[in-house]
Structures are given as C-alpha cells and as structure tokens.
C-alpha cells in the first residue's frame, strides 16, 4: 500500500537544498523487477538489430533501418508514443578498401652465398582507417618511423619525420583506465604529427590476436587533420622489431575513405506518460549507433534492446509512474556523443523538469552500481533507490564526473545522472571490433540489467519530489572542481567548450 509521508527540508552543503523523499512503493518496484526477469522478446529484438541490420554508422542505410527498428520495437513493447527526432552531423564518412604493404631491406652475408647483399621482402599489414580521418591517395615506398608512445621525447629522438608514416606503440587494453588512456593519448600525438608534417599515423592495435577495431579521434563529427590507420598489433610489432634491428621499412598505403557533407540522423524516443506530474520526466537511454566492422552487439545493441525491454517490463507490470518516462535510443554517440548532445540542447528549455537520466553503455558485464556525475547531494536518496538492486550485487555509488557516454551533456546541463558502472567482462577485447557480434552477449546477465534499469528508472519517476535539483552553471563548475575533474575535461578538449559557453548550462 502506498502511504503519504511528511517531507523534510535537507541541506547537504550550502549550494544544495532540496526536499527529502520517501522511497517509492516497494511492492511496485519488486513487481517491475519480477516482470523484467521473465522471458521476453529481448533476444529476438537484438538478433534483428545485429544480425539483420548489422553495424550502424549515422548516414548509412543500416542506421536508417535501425531507427525504424527502434520505433517498431518500442511500439510492440507497449509505448504510448514513439517518434524520431532528427539532427545533423557535420560530415558523412565511410571507409574504402584500406591497404598497407610493408617493405623491408635487410643484409645477407655474401660469404659463400650466391647473390648476397641487400635483400628486399614485403608483407601485408592488416589495417583499418581511423573513423572520420581524411582519405589518403595511394602512396608508394614511404619511410616508416617508430615514434614509440608518441611523446615529445619520442618525436625528438625520431628526428625529421616530414612526409613519413609514424608507427605509434600502445599498451594492451585490459582495464577501463587503459581505454580512456587510449582516447586521451591520441590528440597530443596527432598534434605533434601535424606540426612535424608527417604523412600519416599508424597506431598499433591495443588488442592482440589480429583483432582490428574502429575509433574516431574527432570530437564533434568533423574530419580529422591527418590520415590515420590502426594496424594489427602483431604486424605493428613486426615493423617495430625490424626498425629496432636497424632495418629500413617502407610502406605502400592507400586509405580511400569516402567523405561527404552534412548528414541527417535521428534519435528514437518513446514514452510512458506520468500519472500525476506528466510534465516532469526521467530518461532511460542507450545509444543505437555502432561501428560497422562487427555488428555492434556489446556496444551498444544489447543496451538499446535493454531500453526497449525495460519499457516492456514497466508496462507489463501494470504500474504507472508519477512522472513521464522517456525511453531514448541515441544516434551519433560514437562520433562524439552527438545525439544526446543534440537532444539536451533542443530540449534545454524543459530540463528544469528533468528528474534524472539513466544510461547503460558497457556491454553485459555485471552492473556494480552507478556513477552520479559528481552529485553528492543525491547520494543519500540514490543509496535508497538502488537498495532493491542488491540482489544483483549492484550496490556501489561513485560520486565523480565521467566522460564518454550519453549522460555527459545532461550532466553538464545540471540534471542528475545515473551512469551504470559495469565489470569489463568480455567488453574491452571486443570493443568497436570485428568480433563485436551477437554471440558475445550474456543474455542471462542482460536480463538482470533490464530489471536494474527498469526498477531505478521507475523509482526516479515515482518519487514524491525529484531526486535533486537542476544545478546552475556555477554549481556545475564547482562540482567539477570538487571532484577534481577539470584536468579530465582539459585532456579531452572539453574545458574550453565549457568555459566558452559552447557546451553545458549557460547560467
């Protein structure tokens, strides 16, 4: 039975005062969890998205098909409305048939050997273009130079690299920190390469066993400044050993990327209307787009299917939240969080009524808890809200600010965000890779994530008062400083956007 409770005014620290909430009705939450764990069309939804549609890059027919998939899936799940909201990405991009052939010269002793002297040998280097990198017309016999990890000292040691292909070493990807380092290390390396007038960059893959994958180093869908490829780790290490042994290495390289002008893509939005405060809303979201070397199952098709299944579970449970829940499948996440950024910007006028944003974006590794976007003021209530998820071991709350998924621009707009924290499981090796396919998905674990997402989202939407206020610009910046996040923002080139007012809440 739902009971009314008196509200208390609580101040956590001077800038945050809000009305404390009694938790939502536990019977309703448990009902949502029970229904979410039951058999559903989840696996078939994901099979259609990954096997039939495949990798989903904005501007391609596959992405258009995925948008239609989203609207059909939401409607079939019981959404009270479902529609798409278009936005524009500055450039279209697709990879042609990237080819790289290495040639090496080595000496053979002439003693007792007919035809001794300098010998040339060639081998194919398995390579893919970095996404949103410019094309490179075929070039022949370009010297390859090892620049180590690409630091200033490495460039100085390498000497003149004008017109050369730079081989950059990387660490094998094992942890979340390794992944964020891969992204944060790239921009300064590119800056040095451009300044040094290099022809192209060849990054060694961070995965072993010849696994290739796709990244972009652009931040907003713009075409980057230099041709770049990711080469199979084994091939990159072979070139590095040859160079270290004093052999010369040259490369024939062709990167025939297809680049066009602005392209339209769409987010998909569905709703369950609130019963008492329908003008206020909670968002449950995941990104629908993916890279196309694999079929985008772990990143992030499984969580797109999760969002659909969470809507299905809430409807099937027969419960009605006080606030509206918006279920959103974002596009353009891989090109720089473009879909969620576009949504936050176009809906900025109503974000005072946003009561929380929940995002899943890390495959099917077990959920350990949620990151709160630096919001110490919501910690106490968040602890109560996730209590029903203890049965799944989702118990931890992190009070920090994170970059890299669709919660980010809502966080910069001052809206309370809940980013799912997950174990690595098999996510990192398959991240953006040829191996990111349907068979890698742990459906038993994914159903638990559906229950977690549906329960937390329903609770946020059903609280008597919002979990926390929308922060002002000054409060958001103070949160950045309190959580020691300024350097992270600078590392990813976001601090200037924030300071200039290009990104985030303006006042």
């Amino acid at each position: 039975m739902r009971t009314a409770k008196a509200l208390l005014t609580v101040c956590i620290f001077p800038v945050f005062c809000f009305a404390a909430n009694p938790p939502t009705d536990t019977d309703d939450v448990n009902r949502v969890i029970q229904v979410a764990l039951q058999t559903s069309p989840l696996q078939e939804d994901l099979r259609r998205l990954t096997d039939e549609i495949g990798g989903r890059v904005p501007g391609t027919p596959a992405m258009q098909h995925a948008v239609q998939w989203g609207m059909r899936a939401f409607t079939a799940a019981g959404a009270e409305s479902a529609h798409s909201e278009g936005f524009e990405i500055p450039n279209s991009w697709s990879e042609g048939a990237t080819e790289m052939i290495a040639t090496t010269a080595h000496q053979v002793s002439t003693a007792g050997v007919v035809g001794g002297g300098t010998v040339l040998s060639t081998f194919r280097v398995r390579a893919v273009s970095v996404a949103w990198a410019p094309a490179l017309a075929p070039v022949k016999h370009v010297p390859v130079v090892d620049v180590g990890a690409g630091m200033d000292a490495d460039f100085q040691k390498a000497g003149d690299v004008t017109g050369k292909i730079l081989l950059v070493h990387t660490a094998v990807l094992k942890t979340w920190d390794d992944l964020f380092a891969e992204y944060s290390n790239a921009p300064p390396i590119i800056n040095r390469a451009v300044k040094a007038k290099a022809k192209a960059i060849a990054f060694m893959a961070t995965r072993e066993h010849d696994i290739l994958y796709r990244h972009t180093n652009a931040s907003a869908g713009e075409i980057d400044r230099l041709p770049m490829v990711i080469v199979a780790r084994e091939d990159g290490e072979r070139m590095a050993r040859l160079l270290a042994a004093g052999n010369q290495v040259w490369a024939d390289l062709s990167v025939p990327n297809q680049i066009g002008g602005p392209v339209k893509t769409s987010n998909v939005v569905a709703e369950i209307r609130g019963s008492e405060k329908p003008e206020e809303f909670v968002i449950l979201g995941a990104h629908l787009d993916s890279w196309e070397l694999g079929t985008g199952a772990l990143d992030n098709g499984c969580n797109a299917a999760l969002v659909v299944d969470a809507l299905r579970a809430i409807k099937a449970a027969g419960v009605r939240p006080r606030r509206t829940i918006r279920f959103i499948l974002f596009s353009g996440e891989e090109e720089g969080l473009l879909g969620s950024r576009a949504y936050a910007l176009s809906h900025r006028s109503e974000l005072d009524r946003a009561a929380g944003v929940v995002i899943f974006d890390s495959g099917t590794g077990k959920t350990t808890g949620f990151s709160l976007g630096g919001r110490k003021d919501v910690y106490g209530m968040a602890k109560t809200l996730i209590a029903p998820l203890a049965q799944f071991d989702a118990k931890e709350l992190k009070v920090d600010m994170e970059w890299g998924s669709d919660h980010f621009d809502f966080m910069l707009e001052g809206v309370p965000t809940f980013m799912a924290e997950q174990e690595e499981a098999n996510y990192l090796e398959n991240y953006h890779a040829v191996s990111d396919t349907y068979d890698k998905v742990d459906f038993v674990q994914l159903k638990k994530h559906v229950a977690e997402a549906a329960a937390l989202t329903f609770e946020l939407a059903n609280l008597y008062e919002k979990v926390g206020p929308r922060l002002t610009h000054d409060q958001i910046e103070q949160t950045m400083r309190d959580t020691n996040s300024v350097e992270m923002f600078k590392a990813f080139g976001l601090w200037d956007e924030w300071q200039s007012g290009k990104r985030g809440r303006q006042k």
Side-chain angles (χ1 to χ4, degrees):
M1 177 182 293
R2 185 177 290 116
T3 58
K5 297 184 180 179
L7 302 181
L8 300 175
T9 299
V10 178
C11 293
I12 298 299
F13 45 92
V15 296
F16 297 131
C17 292
F18 60 96
N21 274 309
T24 191
D25 187 89
T26 54
D27 289 341
D28 285 352
V29 176
N30 289 334
R31 174 65 179 159
V32 169
I33 291 173
Q34 291 166 7
V35 173
L37 293 173
Q38 294 173 7
T39 301
S40 73
L42 175 67
Q43 294 189 42
E44 178 63 8
D45 284 346
L46 184 58
R47 188 197 65 77
R48 290 182 180 277
L49 180 62
T50 55
D51 287 348
E52 295 182 6
I53 296 175
R56 304 168 294 281
V57 178
T60 64
M63 189 67 224
Q64 296 170 3
H65 293 322
V67 169
Q68 295 301 315
W69 169 93
M71 289 194 289
R72 288 194 298 269
F74 276 137
T75 300
E80 292 158 19
S81 65
H83 67 279
S84 63
E85 296 188 14
F87 64 96
E88 191 171 87
I89 291 178
N91 295 279
S92 64
W93 184 94
S94 63
E95 183 181 33
T98 296
E99 292 186 353
M100 188 173 184
I101 302 293
T103 300
T104 182
H106 56 95
Q107 297 295 318
V108 176
S109 173
T110 59
V113 178
V114 176
T118 300
V119 174
L120 299 180
S121 59
T122 64
F123 59 93
R124 176 176 171 266
V125 178
R126 289 152 289 192
V128 295
S129 176
V130 170
W132 265 254
L136 177 66
V139 294
K140 300 287 187 180
H141 219 58
V142 179
V144 176
V145 178
D146 191 327
V147 293
M151 300 296 103
D152 282 327
D154 297 317
F155 271 77
Q156 291 170 11
K157 181 180 178 181
D160 183 12
V161 299
T162 301
K164 299 177 181 178
I165 296 170
L166 309 185
L167 179 64
V168 178
H169 292 242
T170 61
V172 175
L173 181 64
K174 295 181 179 179
T175 68
W176 294 121
D177 287 341
D178 293 337
L179 179 58
F180 277 88
E182 185 172 358
Y183 280 110
S184 62
N185 290 342
I189 295 172
I190 297 167
N191 289 340
R192 296 179 189 113
V194 170
K195 185 177 179 180
K197 299 180 180 179
K199 175 66 71 174
I201 302 174
F203 291 96
M204 285 189 198
T206 58
R207 327 296 163 78
E208 298 173 313
H209 312 300
D210 295 332
I211 294 176
L212 289 172
Y213 55 90
R214 182 91 71 211
H215 280 342
T216 180
N217 295 312
S219 61
E222 77 280 10
I223 301 302
D224 219 322
R225 296 165 292 163
L226 197 68
M228 291 175 279
V229 292
I230 295 170
V231 301
R233 188 170 192 85
E234 290 76 4
D235 293 337
E237 289 178 338
R238 180 180 180 182
M239 288 189 286
R241 287 193 299 271
L242 287 165
L243 291 166
N247 301 299
Q248 293 177 293
V249 177
W250 300 269
D252 298 348
L253 181 61
S254 174
V255 190
N257 295 332
Q258 302 298 309
I259 297 167
V263 60
K264 291 189 180 298
T265 187
S266 300
N267 298 322
V268 184
V269 184
E271 281 193 354
I272 293 175
R273 292 284 288 173
S275 60
E276 297 177 16
K277 299 181 177 182
E279 74 286 352
E280 295 183 3
F281 59 95
V282 172
I283 292 172
L284 173 61
H287 69 89
L288 180 59
D289 63 301
S290 76
W291 295 119
E292 83 295 1
L293 295 177
T295 61
L298 293 175
D299 189 19
N300 190 37
C302 62
N303 290 314
L306 170 153
V307 172
V308 173
D309 211 41
L311 185 154
R312 182 184 290 119
I314 293 171
K315 287 290 290 187
V319 296
R320 172 74 67 169
R322 291 185 174 86
R323 292 172 188 81
T324 294
I325 301 176
R326 295 180 184 173
F327 302 82
I328 307 181
L329 305 179
F330 296 107
S331 181
E333 190 269 356
E334 298 292 4
E335 291 70 42
L337 316 179
L338 302 185
S340 50
R341 183 177 182 178
Y343 190 89
L345 184 61
S346 63
H347 291 266
R348 178 178 279 169
S349 63
E350 58 177 338
L351 290 183
D352 284 343
R353 301 196 299 273
V357 175
V358 180
I359 300 292
F360 277 73
D361 187 15
S362 299
T364 53
K366 185 175 74 172
T367 305
T368 57
F370 295 86
S371 175
L372 302 179
R375 295 293 296 267
K376 297 178 182 178
D377 61 310
V378 306
Y379 183 90
M381 180 50 62
K383 201 70 175 174
T384 300
L385 294 178
I386 69 167
L389 309 185
Q391 61 189 292
F392 307 115
D393 291 328
K395 302 175 182 178
E396 300 174 7
L397 292 176
K398 294 173 60 179
V399 185
D400 57 6
M401 304 184 84
E402 295 183 356
W403 170 82
S405 194
D406 288 312
H407 70 290
F408 184 75
D409 281 278
F410 296 103
M411 180 179 75
L412 291 192
E413 290 286 347
V415 178
T417 58
F418 295 76
M419 181 69 207
E421 295 289 323
Q422 296 174 244
E423 294 179 350
E424 291 93 339
N426 64 343
Y427 182 75
L428 293 179
E429 183 177 47
N430 299 302
Y431 177 73
H432 292 183
V434 294
S435 54
D436 183 6
T437 48
Y438 179 89
D439 54 288
K440 308 302 189 304
V441 175
D442 182 343
F443 283 101
V444 172
Q445 191 63 45
L446 183 58
K447 285 297 286 184
K448 295 177 183 178
H449 295 177
V450 172
E452 295 159 3
L456 177 57
T457 303
F458 174 77
E459 287 183 288
L460 285 167
N462 210 41
L463 288 171
Y464 289 91
E465 299 295 333
K466 291 188 295 183
V467 70
R470 183 184 180 195
L471 303 187
T472 66
H473 177 278
D474 290 346
Q475 289 170 340
I476 298 165
E477 184 162 322
Q478 186 60 50
T479 302
M480 294 178 188
R481 299 185 187 281
D482 290 343
T483 55
N484 300 312
S485 299
V486 173
E487 291 306 314
M488 179 269 287
F489 276 73
K490 290 179 178 178
F492 290 108
L494 301 165
W495 182 248
D496 289 343
E497 289 188 345
W498 167 259
Q499 289 279 286
S500 66
K502 185 179 179 181
R503 201 161 193 168
R505 189 166 190 184
Q506 304 297 299
K507 59 182 180 179

